[in-house]
Amino acid sequence: MNVVKHPIKRSLVFFLVPDFTMVAFATALEPLRIANRMLGYEAYRWRLASADGKPVPASNGVLCAVNTSLDEERRKMAGPERPSMAIICTGMDVDKYHNKSVFAWLREEYNRGVAVGGLCTGAYVLAAAGLLSNKRCAIHWENLPGFQEAFPKANVFADLFEVDQNIYTCAGGTAALDMMLKLIGDDFDENLVNRVCEQVLTDRVRSPTDRQRLPLRARLGVQNSKVLTIIELMEGNLAEPLSLIEIADNVDLSRRQIERLFRAEMGRSPARYYLEIRLDRARHLLIQSSLPVVEVAVACGFVSASHFSKCYRELYARSPQQERVDRKQLLAA
């Protein structure tokens, strides 16, 4: 009796960085397991790796055992166990992660034709390794401002996931599921993707450009289309804020009409709301990047660091410098 041997479609290495996000890791791995089950053979094979081969804590405190260390992965690169794909799994505070050996390993894997990927904030590690210059990538919306400032040569988008040639990145959360369903669909067909979807109880595969966050209408509880358009204009022009006259020209309203709308819908003036979203972006940059305070101020549309500090203290009851001190103390605790 002849036994049909099915070739391995992909072999993957998931490299776990301390405090990686479990939800992104699980929703990337499980579709592969389910695809194997639906196919009836092992089309996908994977192993887990860490820098030293020791278990790695996820951000939820769960300790995850691994199969290999970075040194072992480097030895496997020249042999039959070289993976076809290496995926970095990260989470919060990824900007603090600096491991030159990991960066060099990623570059070498990529240069040997191995696909590389990043889950959640993994694009940060790929960019630090020098792999995202002039490449499209995705990252979690909360980390987007800091990433843009740290890696201006990367073409980052607030998409669910991005595939640019041999580089795969996703925004984390359940977006990892969508990215892996895209990969499975490329390897096989839509029928297998649909069967995997049925197993995980999702009714569709989201497209890469589906929004990460709730629409403004749902997020803010605002129904007025003019107000929503104005807020979108504000969010799109933080480094160089628009004047109220420029905003009025864009939406065909008078300054007085905009003032009345914002008082009614947002409970404050348009100028105050604009200031608050600029300061919110500044707070993300202070927490997620090492940019000097003066550069954070400029990136958020403030003409001077002193004016920025004054506005920041009024809203958050602490200075930008104290924000960073408090963050460092929290991480050290």
Side-chain angles (χ1 to χ4, degrees):
M1 179 179 178
N2 293 326
V3 178
V4 178
K5 290 186 177 181
H6 299 281
I8 295 292
K9 201 71 178 180
R10 290 181 191 260
S11 59
L12 301 92
V13 171
F14 290 90
F15 188 92
L16 307 184
V17 170
D19 296 320
F20 69 96
T21 304
M22 182 64 79
V23 65
F25 171 63
T27 53
L29 186 57
E30 281 298 288
L32 305 178
R33 178 191 66 80
I34 295 169
N36 284 349
R37 178 173 168 236
M38 295 296 101
L39 291 166
Y41 66 92
E42 192 179 50
Y44 297 100
R45 181 178 295 170
W46 57 85
R47 60 180 179 262
L48 311 184
S50 68
D52 56 8
K54 295 179 180 179
V56 182
S59 58
N60 60 8
V62 173
L63 200 60
C64 189
V66 301
N67 307 106
T68 59
S69 66
L70 183 60
D71 286 342
E72 289 173 291
E73 286 301 326
R74 296 185 72 88
R75 288 195 292 270
K76 291 177 185 293
M77 277 195 292
E81 291 187 273
R82 185 178 72 187
S84 55
M85 191 170 194
I87 298 178
I88 293 288
C89 307
T90 59
M92 294 178 64
D93 302 316
V94 68
D95 58 301
K96 309 294 190 300
Y97 184 76
H98 296 284
N99 189 317
K100 292 182 179 180
S101 296
V102 172
F103 299 160
W105 168 67
L106 285 168
R107 287 193 297 271
E108 191 169 351
E109 292 280 26
Y110 181 73
N111 291 335
R112 287 173 178 263
V114 174
V116 296
L119 304 183
C120 190
T121 57
Y124 215 106
V125 177
L126 297 180
L131 294 172
L132 292 185
S133 291
N134 301 313
K135 298 289 186 182
R136 292 178 65 92
C137 61
I139 199 167
H140 192 279
W141 65 266
E142 199 172 31
N143 299 85
L144 187 63
F147 183 90
Q148 287 176 316
E149 295 297 330
F151 304 104
K153 292 183 179 180
N155 298 324
V156 64
F157 296 90
D159 294 340
L160 293 181
F161 66 92
E162 284 288 343
V163 180
D164 191 334
Q165 296 179 325
N166 225 18
I167 297 178
Y168 294 70
T169 51
C170 77
T174 56
L177 170 65
D178 299 289
M179 186 173 78
M180 285 306 190
L181 290 174
K182 166 73 165 63
L183 183 145
I184 292 168
D186 290 344
D187 290 344
F188 290 96
D189 54 31
E190 188 178 347
N191 178 57
L192 179 59
V193 170
N194 290 338
R195 293 170 70 193
V196 174
C197 284
E198 288 177 342
Q199 290 295 311
V200 299
L201 305 183
T202 185
D203 62 351
R204 69 186 181 100
V205 181
R206 294 179 294 179
S207 72
T209 55
D210 277 11
R211 65 173 71 233
Q212 292 183 23
R213 305 182 71 182
L214 288 172
L216 277 176
R217 190 180 300 273
R219 180 155 41 104
L220 300 177
V222 174
Q223 300 301 317
N224 188 289
S225 60
K226 288 289 188 181
V227 172
L228 292 171
T229 300
I230 292 168
I231 292 173
E232 287 177 349
L233 279 170
M234 290 176 173
E235 291 187 347
N237 294 273
L238 299 181
E240 297 182 10
L242 300 173
S243 68
L244 192 53
I245 293 175
E246 290 173 313
I247 292 173
D249 289 342
N250 269 281
V251 295
D252 295 324
L253 292 175
S254 69
R255 292 179 58 182
R256 188 179 296 275
Q257 286 173 314
I258 293 175
E259 291 278 358
R260 283 201 299 265
L261 276 174
F262 263 74
R263 292 288 183 189
E265 295 284 346
M266 308 305 296
R268 48 205 180 279
S269 71
R272 179 64 186 181
Y273 186 82
Y274 207 169
L275 175 64
E276 287 176 3
I277 61 176
R278 287 161 55 208
L279 289 170
D280 181 65
R281 174 178 175 134
R283 185 168 182 270
H284 279 93
L285 286 173
L286 289 167
I287 291 172
Q288 298 165 7
S289 77
S290 57
L291 287 174
V293 171
V294 66
E295 290 187 27
V296 172
V298 171
C300 299
F302 292 90
V303 295
S304 71
S306 59
H307 180 232
F308 166 58
S309 294
K310 178 177 180 293
C311 293
Y312 197 94
R313 186 185 293 277
E314 287 176 353
L315 183 62
Y316 295 114
R318 56 188 176 277
S319 69
Q321 292 84 356
Q322 189 61 46
E323 184 77 75
R324 280 202 163 141
V325 170
D326 292 347
R327 181 64 175 171
K328 287 178 182 178
Q329 290 176 344
L330 180 63
L331 291 174

